[in-house]
Amino acid sequence: MCTGSDSASDSKSDPNSNGWTRARGAVLKSLVLIGGALLLRRLTKSTTRWDHARIVAESLNGEKFSKEQAVRDPDSYFNFRWLSCPAADMVDGSKVLYFEQAFWRTPHKPFRQVGTYAIRDAEEYKNFCDRPRDQRPQPEEVIGDIAEHLTTIHLKRCERGKRCLYEGSTPADGFPNSWQNGATYCTSELAVLKNNEIHAWDRGYDDDGNQVWGVKGGPYEFKPAPASSFDDVLNPLSFASQPVGKRIEGSFVLQE
């Protein structure tokens, strides 16, 4: 999730470019394809693994902003736009979602390209959710463009009394990353809250365990945008109706 490449040329024209270095380390994924089998090792009788998959997929879906956080602490956080929508359905019921992130003033210029799965031509997917369906890569193309798996977020249901529904992270030792500032590995944390709010925190570390990029005060808090006509595009029922014949082992693995 915190592995990838950035589009520095886009950032030069952005009004927030003076904070570009800090922004690069702070964000989660911007252009992302995630295939999720969303597996549970032990399931309750009342809730199946696909119920969990549906909840997580619907929560990740949509247009969200970190505006409130940026207002509270403008020295540490930017107002980023998180955008996600369905890209394809797999024959086993897994969902492939597309994510991208940008400064809220320039949503047409997603500045960070990261993925739990690599994709073969990132440029082709920019503004995927904002485009008419016939002008996007189609589900069959999406599956064909998914390259190697980069990392997995291990999610579990939150304990009673906590605000979140699911929470988790990459393995404790993270995964290789040489993005900037001498980083050698990075970690990602994710929490799914009620009302489709997402908290996401990426951090990079050097060989001595010192944090060298990413915000230090806590995760970015992405809250859904007000209801709009965009909701039709992000409706969970709008997942591709024709499943594609390939299985994707989960980037998000739910555990009890």
Side-chain angles (χ1 to χ4, degrees):
M1 295 177 71
C2 46
T3 299
S5 61
D6 59 85
S7 302
S9 59
D10 287 345
S11 69
K12 293 179 181 178
S13 61
D14 191 276
N16 295 288
S17 59
N18 62 339
W20 173 242
T21 300
R22 176 159 55 90
R24 290 193 309 176
V27 301
L28 184 66
K29 53 209 166 206
S30 85
L31 188 148
V32 176
L33 286 173
I34 295 181
L38 302 176
L39 305 178
L40 273 176
R41 280 187 275 180
R42 296 187 302 275
L43 301 171
T44 63
K45 293 182 179 179
S46 59
T47 307
T48 70
R49 63 174 180 167
W50 300 119
D51 291 327
H52 292 289
R54 175 183 53 78
I55 294 170
V56 172
E58 291 178 4
S59 297
L60 294 174
N61 244 351
E63 187 180 32
K64 311 175 195 294
F65 294 90
S66 56
K67 179 180 178 180
E68 293 183 16
Q69 206 172 21
V71 170
R72 292 197 310 267
D73 188 358
D75 292 333
S76 301
Y77 298 91
F78 288 99
N79 181 8
F80 289 129
R81 181 205 196 204
W82 159 306
L83 181 61
S84 173
C85 63
D89 266 0
M90 311 304 291
V91 292
D92 64 353
S94 301
K95 309 296 185 184
V96 178
L97 305 179
Y98 169 89
F99 292 78
E100 86 180 7
Q101 196 166 358
F103 287 103
W104 74 277
R105 291 183 182 275
T106 54
H108 59 292
K109 294 181 178 181
F111 54 78
R112 177 88 173 115
Q113 295 182 322
V114 191
T116 60
Y117 282 90
I119 50 178
R120 294 186 175 85
D121 187 356
E123 286 294 317
E124 184 179 353
Y125 284 84
K126 281 188 175 181
N127 307 125
F128 179 93
C129 299
D130 290 318
R131 287 187 256 163
R133 290 184 179 278
D134 60 357
Q135 295 179 23
R136 307 175 184 173
Q138 297 304 299
E140 294 79 5
E141 299 174 273
V142 170
I143 303 308
D145 285 338
I146 295 176
E148 71 272 16
H149 180 253
L150 299 177
T151 186
T152 296
I153 299 291
H154 297 269
L155 296 177
K156 63 180 179 180
R157 285 181 291 183
C158 295
E159 298 176 359
R160 290 185 179 181
K162 299 188 71 172
R163 289 183 60 212
C164 58
L165 299 175
Y166 302 91
E167 62 181 352
S169 65
T170 50
D173 57 354
F175 54 96
N177 174 276
S178 57
W179 186 18
Q180 62 171 341
N181 299 341
T184 57
Y185 70 98
C186 67
T187 61
S188 295
E189 297 180 20
L190 185 77
V192 177
L193 282 69
K194 296 179 180 179
N195 301 320
N196 298 329
E197 181 177 341
I198 299 294
H199 290 186
W201 198 2
D202 279 4
R203 288 170 285 180
Y205 299 87
D206 62 19
D207 281 328
D208 296 323
N210 301 309
Q211 184 178 343
V212 294
W213 61 257
V215 290
K216 296 183 177 182
Y220 262 83
E221 301 172 1
F222 293 95
K223 298 186 178 183
S228 68
S229 58
F230 193 73
D231 291 344
D232 292 337
V233 178
L234 302 175
N235 189 302
L237 297 179
S238 67
F239 278 101
S241 59
Q242 296 298 322
V244 181
K246 182 178 177 182
R247 184 182 182 87
I248 297 285
E249 293 300 333
S251 292
F252 294 115
V253 179
L254 278 91
Q255 302 171 321
E256 284 191 320

